[in-house]
Amino acid sequence: MLAQAKSSPDINNYLTYLFSSSQVPPGLSYTPEEYHAVRSAAAVMLKNNIRTGYKSIPPESLALVRQSVPLALQDKNQTIRSYAGNVITEIVNRGGILGWPELLPELLALVGNDTGVVSPEAQEGAMSALGKVCEDNKKMLDKDYQGQRPLAYIIPKLISFTANEKPRIRSLALASINVFIPQKPQALLVSLDDLLNRLFQLANDTSSDVRRQVCRAFVQIVEIRPDKILPHISGLVDYMIAQQRKIEDEELACDAAEFWLTVGEHSELWKSLGPYLNKIIPVLLESMVYSEEDIAMLEGGGDDADEEDRAEDIKPKFAKNKSARTLANGEEVDENGQNGGSYAKLSGMEEDDDDLDEGEIEEFDDDDDGNPEDRWNLRKCSAAALDVFATDFRGPVFETILPYLMTNLKHPEWPYREAAVLALGAVAEGCIDVVTPHLPDLVPYLISLLNDPEPLVRQITCWTLGRYSAWGAGLSTPALRAQFFEPMMEGILTKMLDSNKRVQEAGASAFAHLEEKAGTTITPYCEPIIRQFVRCFEKYKDRNMFILYDCVQTLAENVGHGLAQPQLIELLMPALIHRWHKVSDQSRELFPLLECLSYVANALAESFAPFAQPVFTRCITIIRQNLEEYVAAVNNPILDTPDKDFLVTSLDLLSAIIQALDGKQSAALVSGSQPRLFELLQFCMEDPENDVRQSSYALLGDCAKYVFPQLAPFLATLLPILIQQLDLDSIIDEQIETGFSVVNNACWSAGEISIQHGKSMAPYVEQLLHRFLEILGNPEVPKSVLENAAIALGRLGLENSGIMAPHLASFSEPFLKSINTVEFTSEKATAFKGFCLIVVSNPQAMEKDLGRLCTAIARYKMEEAFKTPLTADLQQLFQHTLDLYKSLIPEFSPYIGSLISAADLNNLRTVYNL
């Protein structure tokens, strides 16, 4: 019946009528509660119909919706008003501002009570709807429509609405303004002084919601116009301290604390807080003590290590792309920013970015707030701010907290003990120089706190010890390491099998941090470490298994081939393989397990061979199943789309295995795969998800390097797909970062294929050259992508210089500029060799760029080039290139001396007898 009703052309008229009618229609006998449920259901259905089928709704139906829904903004019931705002926002999202030109003036007139007869409910409903339209259409409202921008009219109105007598309207108006501040629209910048005046007037508003938005506005303005904040910094410090101390409203206190974080990380403003550290830091320290409510929620965790995890306790795990190809220079990228990584380890500090519309779910979700450790809160924000201050001001911060630490580290009440340990951990990185003299006393005491009767103290102590592990690992003598580092390592390892699951998690997380900081110095301790990991594999419940994989892969990453000792392999691999058999192909635990095995395969290299066949085969099976499920879901919308992370982690593990084994073993695995690997890879290279394509091109490049004979028969199919991927127009603005990562890996794989495929690349040279030139000429392209495009272009010239030579003048300058920033690796050497072969084929084309080329040759460091047979003759090729120009240009030495520096000319004379 519902399906029949949905297919009726009048369904949206009917839903609109029900939703916008506050009285039960004649002929229906519903109680007020029942009719409210009917109206709510009608609103949700109407909104969903607009979302999924806007273009198919008849114009007269849309006209009725536009006419009727604003009536619901005046409803006495707040939920109905909220639903009306959702429907209005959806119409604007689908039809644009011009599709409903009278909407904004109508909403603004209602909020402003222009007629003088608008009810308070209608004003509030209209303001709520306007706020939603602003939030969902930030860019659209700042576009030029026939010489006018809606924001130029909206912003001054919103500022005036912050003076409304109703607190709800004041806070909604400010919240709407806050939506636009990060974008820096001109309409806001010209009204910024008016806004600041309003903020100062609202600073002591009776409504905590309004004050919360005031705090947020100041935080946002720091980012866009720090010069407007600086003159008021003294008053703002006092204001934010006062708001942060209002602990009865934690959200307000947390928004105030964000001010310290934002100013502390701002290059132009952080110094302005220096005179106020003695005021601010005590408030941060107060705020880091667990509140009574938090303690009530957290206490009683006790000895729960043997209890099974509930499904809701296990956070979803997302696959991480391996960034091995991301930078041509092999630099590691810190994805967590300045402090994010540390605090994420402390206990997932992500802000909840909820996409659901107001009114469509309950006001709050008990599970989300059930554990203060699982949400961003005042305590974590204050600790992060202290960390930033420690990095900014160093010594003075530690001097300020030292009396606090002396009093509280041994406090008889555990919440104060715990907060002091947190504070000590927060300043670890910024204040390490001034803390170091105290560490010989502090570290043994911290190790003793690992046995504190309160699990939360043990938990935070693990984290803090992890933060000081770099000091322990860096101690200069074996005796000092035995005195401090080994007990630190043993203490954290022991806590990985604590009787409390949260302490286990903190111990494992801290140990992964220790492994990272210790690097190869941890190699001699591998056996006891792995024995403890194996015990953890036997004991851990599902949630902590995820962080245990992180410990194993971090060990593999830092110890490398040191892990490939028979006794270590016999300990570790049975535990991993046991888990491998236990985890199903549909389990999300597969992501961290596959990722972990990738690192282990890289570390073990050929010693991974006994385990490779079943792992390789299962990855192929997972990829095939996922692709089949995806095709089925595309053809049948009722079916769920499969999780693409299964593809990403499987592709990455295949890459790791192909790199790890010797050529014959890898070739046998690829040849024997059913279905054939490269047939599956073709689909993955065309997948709509960037992450899948990024891993696909990484695997393609690895296959070109290690199993080219098996890849070659499929290149006629795969190369056109690769060339299409190099089109920058295919990158979606909203996914620009991951889009460039895909192009980056596609460039890298094109270069690897060019080396192996040689002259057979000829049919593709013109298209590839066109794509590389587009990339090299685009100022928006990140440096790493430019470098990989230049390397690929140079490598293409190794066997195809004759085809490329006529085009040399068009790419010599961008090539030389981009290759200049690449470090002296074998990749750079192969690219330069290919480029020089092109130059030799058309030397006259270098007239504009000869100085640039000679500078590059003069500065080239040859050590790396001699290490591969392909580039062993690079110096001779440079000599040949220079000799060629000597024969073409009379008085070559003085001529080139006028184009390059004296030092570079001297190098050419010394090395190449110029």
Side-chain angles (χ1 to χ4, degrees):
M1 186 175 163
L2 182 61
Q4 199 177 354
K6 280 184 175 176
S7 64
S8 164
D10 296 324
I11 179 67
N12 293 310
N13 299 354
Y14 178 61
L15 294 172
T16 302
Y17 171 66
L18 280 178
F19 169 48
S20 58
S21 302
S22 57
Q23 301 301 316
V24 180
L28 296 178
S29 53
Y30 287 119
T31 65
E33 291 76 18
E34 289 169 338
Y35 185 55
H36 174 72
V38 168
R39 293 179 72 194
S40 300
V44 173
M45 281 182 70
L46 178 60
K47 181 196 154 184
N48 289 339
N49 288 353
I50 292 166
R51 175 177 282 176
T52 56
Y54 178 81
K55 289 182 179 172
S56 61
I57 299 174
E60 56 274 16
S61 283
L62 275 176
L64 178 69
V65 174
R66 292 192 192 109
Q67 187 182 341
S68 306
V69 170
L71 296 173
L73 291 174
Q74 306 177 38
D75 201 274
K76 297 289 184 192
N77 186 294
Q78 186 180 347
T79 309
I80 295 296
R81 297 198 300 270
S82 179
Y83 280 131
N86 294 345
V87 174
I88 287 168
T89 307
E90 202 57 58
I91 294 171
V92 176
N93 288 352
R94 302 297 148 193
I97 298 291
L98 295 179
W100 194 352
E102 58 277 8
L103 172 68
L104 291 174
E106 190 177 333
L107 291 177
L108 291 166
L110 282 171
V111 182
N113 192 9
D114 291 0
T115 61
V117 294
V118 181
S119 70
E121 291 86 2
Q123 282 182 269
E124 192 180 302
M127 187 61 244
S128 178
L130 180 62
K132 287 174 186 171
V133 171
C134 290
E135 192 171 355
D136 285 3
N137 299 278
K138 295 190 283 281
K139 290 183 179 173
M140 206 190 289
L141 291 169
D142 196 31
K143 281 186 177 169
D144 192 304
Y145 298 95
Q146 297 166 344
Q148 290 186 315
R149 291 176 189 268
L151 270 194
Y153 186 63
I154 292 171
I155 294 283
K157 286 283 189 184
L158 288 173
I159 292 173
S160 71
F161 295 158
T162 63
N164 192 287
E165 60 187 21
K166 297 168 193 67
R168 173 96 174 131
I169 291 178
R170 295 199 297 275
S171 75
L172 285 170
L174 256 186
S176 301
I177 293 168
N178 284 338
V179 161
F180 296 111
I181 295 176
Q183 279 179 235
K184 300 189 276 192
Q186 190 59 31
L188 188 133
L189 294 177
V190 298
S191 301
L192 196 55
D193 288 334
D194 292 343
L195 174 60
L196 281 165
N197 287 335
R198 287 300 311 147
L199 291 175
F200 289 122
Q201 289 168 36
L202 293 167
N204 293 309
D205 197 279
T206 52
S207 162
S208 62
D209 283 343
V210 173
R211 295 200 305 279
R212 193 159 70 237
Q213 296 300 339
V214 168
C215 291
R216 288 180 185 176
F218 280 127
V219 167
Q220 306 247 48
I221 293 168
V222 165
E223 299 283 9
I224 66 156
R225 287 296 301 270
D227 56 304
K228 294 286 187 184
I229 295 293
L230 194 55
H232 306 287
I233 201 76
S234 177
L236 283 169
V237 165
D238 289 337
Y239 178 69
M240 294 299 174
I241 285 172
Q243 301 312 305
Q244 187 170 341
R245 282 195 157 133
K246 296 190 187 301
I247 53 172
E248 69 280 359
D249 185 340
E250 192 187 354
E251 223 180 315
L252 168 61
C254 194
D255 280 320
E258 290 275 358
F259 183 77
W260 316 125
L261 257 182
T262 310
V263 176
E265 289 181 328
H266 199 287
S267 57
E268 294 172 40
L269 279 188
W270 67 268
K271 287 181 183 171
S272 67
L273 294 179
Y276 309 104
L277 288 183
N278 289 336
K279 278 184 178 181
I280 301 167
I281 289 176
V283 182
L284 296 180
L285 295 170
E286 280 171 32
S287 301
M288 284 158 60
V289 182
Y290 277 116
S291 69
E292 289 179 16
E293 292 83 356
D294 287 348
I295 292 168
M297 287 181 190
L298 291 165
E299 275 190 321
D303 298 346
D304 61 357
D306 294 325
E307 295 173 15
E308 295 299 327
D309 292 326
R310 301 175 304 161
E312 59 267 32
D313 290 335
I314 303 165
K315 290 181 189 166
K317 174 78 179 179
F318 302 102
K320 290 182 290 186
N321 269 93
K322 294 173 76 176
S323 58
R325 317 278 179 269
T326 301
L327 297 181
N329 289 341
E331 297 166 20
E332 287 294 320
V333 181
D334 176 14
E335 294 174 13
N336 292 314
Q338 191 176 346
N339 303 299
S342 310
Y343 289 94
K345 288 261 173 102
L346 172 57
S347 47
M349 288 169 128
E350 310 84 22
E351 284 196 73
D352 185 31
D353 184 15
D354 201 325
D355 208 21
L356 290 162
D357 281 320
E358 186 187 342
E360 289 188 18
I361 55 170
E362 292 176 20
E363 283 296 311
F364 49 81
D365 178 350
D366 287 337
D367 280 341
D368 188 45
D369 287 340
N371 194 319
E373 290 295 271
D374 291 334
R375 58 184 164 82
W376 181 250
N377 55 25
L378 175 61
R379 160 191 160 77
K380 292 175 187 172
C381 186
S382 300
L386 183 61
D387 185 343
V388 169
F389 284 0
T391 304
D392 289 341
F393 299 104
R394 302 188 180 274
V397 172
F398 186 66
E399 287 159 22
T400 308
I401 70 165
L402 189 56
Y404 172 87
L405 294 176
M406 303 300 284
T407 306
N408 289 284
L409 276 172
K410 298 186 178 180
H411 200 286
E413 294 180 41
W414 75 258
Y416 295 95
R417 236 175 15 253
E418 195 276 348
V421 176
L422 171 59
L424 183 58
V427 301
E429 292 181 6
C431 295
I432 189 65
D433 292 342
V434 281
V435 180
T436 296
H438 302 272
L439 288 178
D441 296 321
L442 285 171
V443 165
Y445 178 65
L446 286 173
I447 292 168
S448 77
L449 283 182
L450 290 172
N451 297 314
D452 195 280
E454 173 51 51
L456 289 164
V457 176
R458 302 200 296 275
Q459 182 181 328
I460 201 63
T461 304
C462 288
W463 179 74
T464 295
L465 277 171
R467 299 266 286 175
Y468 286 103
S469 55
W471 169 80
L475 289 167
S476 55
T477 67
L480 283 171
R481 282 197 294 276
Q483 186 181 354
F484 296 109
F485 179 63
E486 289 174 18
M488 177 189 278
M489 183 167 58
E490 187 182 352
I492 298 173
L493 260 182
T494 304
K495 288 300 103 182
M496 287 179 69
L497 280 175
D498 193 87
S499 56
N500 178 276
K501 285 193 279 195
R502 288 271 180 179
V503 180
Q504 290 177 357
E505 182 184 13
S509 194
F511 199 79
H513 192 72
L514 180 145
E515 291 171 324
E516 214 172 278
K517 296 298 181 187
T520 52
T521 60
I522 209 167
T523 306
Y525 308 104
C526 274
E527 189 169 333
I529 290 169
I530 291 173
R531 285 190 188 281
Q532 184 73 332
F533 287 175
V534 170
R535 284 191 282 270
C536 292
F537 272 116
E538 292 164 3
K539 175 123 176 148
Y540 275 9
K541 304 304 176 192
D542 292 339
R543 175 186 166 112
N544 284 347
M545 200 61 74
F546 288 48
I547 189 73
L548 181 56
Y549 291 128
D550 192 40
C551 287
V552 175
Q553 78 181 43
T554 309
L555 183 70
E557 189 179 10
N558 286 282
V559 170
H561 206 56
L563 210 58
Q565 298 170 37
Q567 76 276 18
L568 299 180
I569 295 171
E570 285 166 23
L571 277 174
L572 177 62
M573 288 311 294
L576 283 174
I577 296 301
H578 172 73
R579 203 70 200 170
W580 169 261
H581 289 306
K582 188 175 178 182
V583 176
S584 78
D585 286 355
Q586 287 73 42
S587 169
R588 296 182 70 85
E589 191 187 321
L590 209 52
F591 307 154
L593 174 53
L594 292 172
E595 196 180 325
C596 175
L597 282 168
S598 297
Y599 284 90
V600 170
N602 276 326
L604 297 188
E606 291 173 18
S607 300
F608 192 77
F611 316 100
Q613 173 70 58
V615 174
F616 196 95
T617 302
R618 187 174 180 188
C619 286
I620 293 287
T621 303
I622 291 166
I623 293 169
R624 177 184 59 77
Q625 285 172 348
N626 196 279
L627 291 172
E628 286 173 355
E629 287 170 16
Y630 175 67
V631 171
V634 167
N635 295 324
N636 185 353
I638 295 170
L639 297 174
D640 288 335
T641 304
D643 193 327
K644 296 295 180 68
D645 284 349
F646 288 105
L647 283 182
V648 172
T649 45
S650 297
L651 290 164
D652 288 346
L653 181 47
L654 290 178
S655 275
I657 293 171
I658 286 168
Q659 289 176 69
L661 306 185
D662 74 33
K664 282 183 184 172
Q665 291 170 320
S666 293
L669 289 174
V670 171
S671 299
S673 71
Q674 282 301 324
R676 292 193 291 187
L677 170 61
F678 297 114
E679 289 174 355
L680 296 176
L681 188 59
Q682 175 188 340
F683 290 104
C684 295
M685 285 164 61
E686 295 182 285
D687 193 274
E689 292 290 326
N690 285 346
D691 287 348
V692 175
R693 296 200 310 284
Q694 184 179 341
S695 290
S696 301
Y697 285 102
L699 176 56
L700 178 67
D702 283 329
C703 289
K705 279 179 87 166
Y706 301 107
V707 291
F708 186 76
Q710 285 67 41
L711 169 63
F714 298 89
L715 284 175
T717 306
L718 298 179
L719 276 170
I721 299 170
L722 185 155
I723 291 166
Q724 184 58 41
Q725 181 61 68
L726 294 173
D727 182 2
L728 293 180
D729 290 339
S730 65
I731 296 178
I732 300 166
D733 283 352
E734 288 71 27
Q735 302 169 357
I736 195 159
E737 199 171 316
T738 54
F740 277 131
S741 296
V742 180
V743 173
N744 190 78
N745 282 6
C747 287
W748 176 78
S749 61
E752 294 296 339
I753 293 168
S754 295
I755 287 177
Q756 304 292 341
H757 211 30
K759 287 185 167 55
S760 301
M761 290 295 285
Y764 309 103
V765 167
E766 297 275 354
Q767 289 172 281
L768 281 168
L769 190 53
H770 173 67
R771 293 287 191 226
F772 292 145
L773 268 172
E774 280 186 339
I775 292 167
L776 291 171
N778 190 317
E780 302 295 314
V781 174
K783 173 171 164 273
S784 62
V785 183
L786 294 173
E787 291 175 348
N788 271 313
I791 290 167
L793 188 155
R795 288 173 158 189
L796 193 59
L798 287 166
E799 298 284 346
N800 296 281
S801 55
I803 306 173
M804 296 172 73
H807 306 283
L808 177 58
S810 66
F811 63 78
S812 57
E813 182 181 349
F815 170 85
L816 287 167
K817 278 183 175 175
S818 294
I819 205 76
N820 181 49
T821 57
V822 179
E823 290 184 7
F824 294 94
T825 59
S826 59
E827 290 187 335
K828 181 165 183 164
T830 51
F832 243 117
K833 178 176 178 178
F835 182 72
C836 283
L837 290 170
I838 300 167
V839 170
V840 168
S841 300
N842 185 7
Q844 288 83 359
M846 288 296 291
E847 187 178 351
K848 294 195 322 294
D849 295 305
L850 188 56
R852 206 182 296 272
L853 173 64
C854 289
T855 299
I857 291 174
R859 296 178 183 180
Y860 204 96
K861 295 175 183 171
M862 277 295 163
E863 299 87 352
E864 205 60 42
F866 293 135
K867 291 181 183 175
T868 70
L870 182 60
T871 55
D873 59 349
L874 182 62
Q875 190 161 343
Q876 291 95 300
L877 182 56
F878 282 167
Q879 183 74 61
H880 175 57
T881 306
L882 292 169
D883 289 345
L884 179 61
Y885 280 109
K886 269 199 276 187
S887 69
L888 290 171
I889 299 172
E891 301 293 322
F892 178 66
S893 187
Y895 170 74
I896 206 66
S898 68
L899 299 177
I900 67 176
S901 73
D904 291 330
L905 184 62
N906 195 43
N907 276 352
L908 290 180
R909 283 176 175 151
T910 306
V911 180
Y912 299 100
N913 303 312
L914 198 60

